[in-house]
Amino acid sequence: DRGVVNNNYLYRQNVNTPYKICPYDFDHSFGRDGDGSLNPHDFVELTRNKLITRLLETNAFNYKNRLKEKYYKLKNENILTAENIIAMIEINAKKIKPFALKNEKKWKPEEHKYFQNTGFDKEVELMKNWVQEHMPKVEKYINEL
């Protein structure tokens, strides 16, 4: 969950637009921690992010309702659903698999203790299972705001 406290850009288009958060480099995600160890059950602890914590505590700019509205808008448009995210994973996995396999020959992931009993296809399945398990947790979190 480093992406909660690191690896985010805070930006806005101009002085008349709201700020947005753009996450990047999520090596602590989809069932693995940054060191490569399995972490299939954890849910991101958002209170580690001072900005999000402050927005939730103060409810500045009606943040909680706006977050709920945005979540349900994306869910109803079939964007933020397990099915859609899994479909995106499958599409991207097909595109990058040849390059990932080429990369594995160079970097030998099996030499890393966490990747000795896995491979590209197993990692894709890990991600898909993680998404399937965690989307209900996301919705529960949103509903409890």
Side-chain angles (χ1 to χ4, degrees), residues 73-85 88:
K73 178 182 184 296
L74 293 172
K75 181 182 175 185
N76 292 335
E77 292 174 358
N78 196 35
I79 295 170
L80 196 53
T81 63
E83 295 78 17
N84 188 54
I85 295 169
M88 288 190 295

Side-chain angles (χ1 to χ4, degrees), residues 35-92:
D35 65 358
S37 62
L38 283 171
N39 188 1
H41 304 294
D42 275 359
F43 186 67
V44 172
E45 180 54 56
L46 293 176
T47 58
R48 292 186 61 224
N49 183 296
K50 291 178 183 0
L51 175 60
I52 292 174
T53 298
R54 187 166 172 112
L55 286 168
L56 290 170
E57 287 175 354
T58 64
N59 200 26
F61 311 105
N62 197 21
Y63 179 75
K64 291 178 186 179
N65 284 333
R66 291 174 67 193
L67 182 60
K68 285 180 187 181
E69 288 172 7
K70 184 68 168 189
Y71 170 80
Y72 281 106
K73 178 182 184 296
L74 293 172
K75 181 182 175 185
N76 292 335
E77 292 174 358
N78 196 35
I79 295 170
L80 196 53
T81 63
E83 295 78 17
N84 188 54
I85 295 169
I86 289 168
M88 288 190 295
I89 290 170
E90 290 171 347
I91 289 167
N92 285 296

Side-chain angles (χ1 to χ4, degrees), residues 103-105 107-116:
N103 191 54
E104 285 179 11
K105 289 178 185 173
W107 294 104
K108 312 263 186 258
E110 67 276 1
E111 292 176 5
H112 190 288
K113 67 180 178 177
Y114 297 119
F115 298 113
Q116 291 176 353

